[in-house]
Amino acid sequence: MKENNSKQVLLSVLGVAILVVAVVGVSFAAFSYSKTGEKVNTITTGTITMSYSETTNGINLTNALPMTDGVGKALADTNQYFDFTVSANITGTTTINYAITATKEVDSTLPEDGVKLYLTNMDDDADTQITAPTKFNAIPKTTAGEESSAPADQAELYNGTFNSTDSHDYRLRMWVADDYSVTGTSQTFKVRVNVYGAAAAQ
């Protein structure tokens, strides 16, 4: 009788262990992000510098499961968002208009209407919304003649102004929209974050 009880306890423990491993494996597959790309960091005056705090300027979404905006906005693990800093070093009374844009990488396989982007300001860890959760295809595009000198047809996440030497911290989150039907095949979506700036006309 004791031997039967021991076998049942052993089988129960093994069953729980296998279940834990399966759940951890599924959770990991739901959030697979990585940073990618080369920096695009353009300025049209020699008195200004802009830089990222990150060494790369992209974010990848691979085999992620759909989620609601509430869950996406709360993503907090270091591999679930992309942090970067935009700074200006201004000499004199120059005003700089700048834009933060996103471009889709050509090897992305998820459709643009299946992915949402969400940009927040992280100055003093505030995590303040700048761009509400928006499907990539619905984000307004830059046009020719932008004050920031950003090229046309890029997703414009934010545009702002520097009037003095300063810097701002930003966080970009990206997730699969909850109304997108995931297929059985592996799918990815990759964006590159770009910053453009130009001195305002005097």
Side-chain angles (χ1 to χ4, degrees):
M1 187 68 173
K2 285 184 181 178
E3 190 175 331
N4 271 348
N5 285 342
S6 297
K7 284 182 180 176
Q8 286 181 340
V9 168
L10 180 60
L11 288 173
S12 297
V13 169
L14 282 174
V16 169
I18 289 168
L19 181 61
V20 167
V21 169
V23 169
V24 169
V26 169
S27 298
F28 179 75
F31 299 108
S32 180
Y33 289 78
S34 63
K35 295 164 189 168
T36 186
E38 297 175 0
K39 288 192 277 189
V40 176
N41 185 9
T42 303
I43 194 71
T44 59
T45 173
T47 61
I48 307 301
T49 58
M50 289 189 182
S51 62
Y52 293 108
S53 57
E54 297 279 358
T55 56
T56 59
N57 68 317
I59 183 170
N60 293 353
L61 182 62
T62 305
N63 293 334
L65 300 175
M67 62 182 68
T68 64
D69 289 352
V71 173
K73 289 168 68 173
L75 293 173
D77 290 345
T78 55
N79 66 336
Q80 294 177 342
Y81 57 78
F82 172 61
D83 280 351
F84 61 100
T85 299
V86 179
S87 59
N89 182 7
I90 295 181
T91 302
T93 58
T94 305
T95 296
I96 296 298
N97 298 310
Y98 72 98
I100 299 171
T101 71
T103 53
K104 181 181 74 171
E105 297 289 285
V106 294
D107 56 344
S108 297
T109 55
L110 276 163
E112 292 186 3
D113 63 353
V115 175
K116 287 191 172 181
L117 272 63
Y118 174 61
L119 182 69
T120 61
N121 179 283
M122 292 299 294
D123 292 351
D124 302 318
D125 295 321
D127 210 5
T128 305
Q129 176 176 294
I130 293 176
T131 302
T134 308
K135 290 183 178 181
F136 188 86
N137 67 324
I139 298 172
K141 300 298 187 288
T142 54
T143 57
E146 295 274 331
E147 290 183 340
S148 63
S149 294
D153 298 321
Q154 296 195 5
E156 189 168 46
L157 299 173
Y158 178 69
N159 56 68
T161 302
F162 283 115
N163 295 306
S164 60
T165 296
D166 203 355
S167 68
H168 296 295
D169 299 323
Y170 297 98
R171 175 168 292 176
L172 179 66
R173 295 177 175 93
M174 184 168 70
W175 61 88
V176 177
D178 60 355
D179 60 357
Y180 176 71
S181 297
V182 176
T183 65
T185 59
S186 176
Q187 293 184 297
T188 64
F189 197 86
K190 304 176 184 178
V191 297
R192 179 181 296 180
V193 179
N194 314 304
V195 175
Y196 301 91
Q202 298 293 310

